[in-house]
Amino acid sequence: MNDHAFPFARGFVSTPEGVAVNGVLLEDVAKRYGTPLYVYNLDAMVEAWREWTAAFGAIPHMVCYAVKANPNLAVLQGLKNAGSGFEVNSGGELFRALTVGADPSTVVMSGVGKRFNEIVGTIEAGVALISVDSLEECRRVSEAAAGVSRDVDILLRVNPEVDARTHPYIATGMKGHKFGLGPDEAIRAVKEAANLPSLRVVGFGMHIGSQILEVEPYREAVSNLLEVANVARPFLRTEPKYLDIGGGLGVPYAEGDTEVTPSQLLEPLRDTLAASGMTVIAEPGRSITARAGVLVAKVEYVKRTREKTFVILDAGMNDLLRPMLYRVSHTILPCRNPHAPAQDPVDIVGPVCETADTFAEGVAFPKVKEKDFVVIFTTGAYGFTMSSRYNSRRLPAEVGIVGNDMHLVRRRDFYEDLVGAERMLDL
Ligand code: LLP
């Protein structure tokens, strides 16, 4: 049998010995570090970043990886070494980027509710651009910048009012959403911002949502964004220099799902972007890390009830929230013999005390038994980063694969980590 690649994973293949990445068997990684365990193909993340930068070709651009998708330091380090900039959404994400030595002039700070101190810290760190979400925030940035000798460069986030045709929880560019300013409001904000000291509007940005698999919403949104830039031009203190098209490019999660590559996304926008004369910023997160990561879990029990069979894993909704929060499915297969014929339908669940703790319901699954390992694919983005200690479960470990070496890039919590920040009362 030949190795079989999965379209929803980068570099993970099914071999006669089981699912492997760069020649490393997931079962071996799981036996060494325990489960639940995130395993990342760090080389594949860098490769995905390179595809983005290559797709821009001659258009002046910055590819700023969206740290929220997977903020592990080893992930950021690999991307930084490849030349990536970073999009950060909080003081904490900025701290991570700076920890791996990111050049602040390659960082964009965005977010809808920045605290005053976060803005001050961002300015003091020398971050290139702050993506400002409202006129109220323009005033706050101006105030925070009062103490520095240079003007702070900001992008104004525009809500281009388009439907990204994705899950409603992660669509962010429609009328009524909390993000950015509608086209008219944006122009009003530019006029008012012109009178605010210590601040310069140097460009416009958008982020219309996540897991987007169509080009049309981008095309429409970019055209709305450029229209705002044109109308606003006479009121700016400088020619607009940056056009931030956000992140949002989706990935396949199952066999047969649509795939859109960065170059397929950019091709229809290429002439417009090039003609704008601006430096284009992209903020991809998911399209860089999702397929390069998996969550490995162990089967604790196969529980047969009169109604159903439950495959109970040692990973739960605290380790991976996406299936529960968005009701989406990730491909799950046994690590050994992933292509064995499927048996009667099972529910694949976790150990957490909620019925919501279900990864898959009524799916035909190959026969598994206690202690077998399973792999939950396409979890390199919005996996660990959305995990919690609910049920006082320890945060899982993370392993990075480089070449065919495995490295522990985050140890599993100790029980002490669960209570380490707490204090008992002096009673
Ligand atoms: N830029 C901004 C301003 C963002 O808010 C986001 C994601 C990105 C870039 C990166 O988007 P991406 O390329 O990863 O789609 N937890 C959800 C996804 C939330 C995305 C939030 N913002 C999920 O698991 O599907």
Side-chain angles (χ1 to χ4, degrees):
M1 196 171 80
N2 287 331
D3 289 359
H4 169 91
F6 304 105
F8 42 80
R10 280 178 175 263
F12 292 82
V13 295
S14 144
T15 75
E17 292 78 39
V19 180
V21 51
N22 292 357
V24 181
L25 277 180
L26 289 183
E27 253 194 45
D28 290 345
V29 193
K31 282 181 187 152
R32 179 140 161 207
Y33 297 105
T35 50
L37 179 73
Y38 278 95
V39 180
Y40 306 135
N41 181 352
L42 294 176
D43 298 334
M45 293 181 182
V46 169
E47 209 177 285
W49 183 86
R50 292 215 166 98
E51 280 171 22
W52 263 101
T53 191
F56 274 106
I59 300 173
H61 65 276
M62 281 163 72
V63 180
C64 297
Y65 169 65
V67 171
K68 60 178 78 63
N70 186 330
N72 184 284
L73 293 182
V75 170
L76 303 187
Q77 203 184 6
L79 293 171
K80 186 216 87 176
N81 290 344
S84 183
F86 296 100
E87 181 269 336
V88 298
N89 196 67
S90 67
E93 288 186 352
L94 175 58
F95 174 75
R96 283 179 176 275
L98 297 177
T99 299
V100 301
D103 176 350
S105 71
T106 65
V107 175
V108 179
M109 166 62 98
S110 46
V112 77
K114 301 177 198 77
R115 301 158 69 102
F116 188 77
N117 284 347
E118 277 176 323
I119 298 174
V120 171
T122 305
I123 296 171
E124 281 174 354
V127 164
L129 294 164
I130 303 183
S131 166
V132 171
D133 203 77
S134 62
L135 180 57
E136 292 78 359
E137 196 192 324
C138 284
R139 297 195 188 107
R140 198 179 275 196
V141 171
S142 166
E143 198 186 322
V148 285
S149 50
R150 62 182 170 88
D151 282 347
V152 171
D153 286 347
I154 67 164
L155 300 174
L156 212 55
R157 177 157 169 183
V158 176
N159 177 341
E161 300 180 344
V162 303
D163 183 356
R165 294 195 276 274
T166 182
H167 189 287
Y169 287 9
I170 53 175
T172 50
M174 284 161 85
K175 241 192 187 108
H177 285 156
K178 69 175 174 181
F179 302 95
L181 291 163
D184 298 344
E185 294 163 320
I187 289 154
R188 226 176 308 134
V190 166
K191 290 183 189 164
E192 289 209 28
N195 302 318
L196 290 172
S198 313
L199 164 150
R200 236 169 30 145
V201 179
V202 294
F204 296 88
M206 64 179 213
H207 171 73
I208 56 173
S210 195
Q211 185 54 15
I212 303 167
L213 290 163
E214 292 174 53
V215 177
E216 194 43 43
Y218 280 97
R219 201 183 357 212
E220 203 183 320
V222 164
S223 125
N224 294 354
L225 191 61
L226 281 170
E227 203 175 307
V228 170
N230 277 333
V231 178
R233 195 174 243 120
F235 310 104
L236 295 172
R237 286 171 44 201
T238 163
E239 271 298 288
K241 285 194 272 202
Y242 299 98
L243 194 76
D244 185 342
I245 61 170
L249 181 61
V251 299
Y253 278 87
E255 203 91 42
D257 278 3
T258 313
E259 171 171 5
V260 181
T261 63
S263 57
Q264 284 167 336
L265 172 70
L266 291 177
E267 210 39 60
L269 308 173
R270 190 171 298 283
D271 293 345
T272 315
L273 294 178
S276 77
M278 293 190 245
T279 296
V280 181
I281 300 173
E283 304 172 348
R286 188 190 313 261
S287 53
I288 294 200
T289 55
R291 282 188 281 175
V294 299
L295 174 60
V296 184
K298 192 172 69 185
V299 176
E300 285 293 350
Y301 297 98
V302 179
K303 172 174 170 178
R304 295 194 171 81
T305 68
R306 217 172 315 158
E307 293 79 25
K308 282 179 166 184
T309 299
F310 295 96
V311 173
I312 304 177
L313 305 181
D314 66 355
M317 63 192 284
N318 72 296
D319 302 296
L320 175 67
L321 185 61
R322 301 195 74 255
M324 299 80 188
L325 185 58
Y326 310 115
R327 293 194 155 272
V328 292
S329 48
H330 285 249
T331 301
I332 308 179
L333 293 171
C335 283
R336 205 178 284 178
N337 295 323
H339 295 298
Q343 308 278 309
D344 291 340
V346 297
D347 281 12
I348 303 176
V349 300
V352 171
C353 58
E354 292 197 22
T355 303
D357 190 28
T358 300
F359 291 107
E361 218 176 331
V363 289
F365 200 67
K367 198 175 169 68
V368 284
K369 54 182 190 324
E370 281 180 25
K371 299 202 177 114
D372 282 354
F373 293 109
V374 303
V375 44
I376 309 180
F377 283 98
T378 332
T379 48
Y382 306 111
F384 183 92
T385 182
M386 291 172 74
S387 67
S388 77
R389 290 176 172 140
Y390 184 39
N391 272 211
S392 286
R393 287 168 51 76
R394 295 176 296 160
L395 292 179
E398 297 172 284
V399 164
I401 308 288
V402 180
N404 39 33
D405 292 329
M406 41 180 134
H407 304 269
L408 186 65
V409 295
R410 188 193 194 283
R411 65 159 170 79
R412 184 178 313 286
D413 270 359
F414 296 129
Y415 278 143
E416 287 73 14
D417 293 318
L418 300 179
V419 296
E422 297 173 29
R423 296 288 174 267
M424 286 199 280
L425 297 184
D426 211 6
L427 295 176

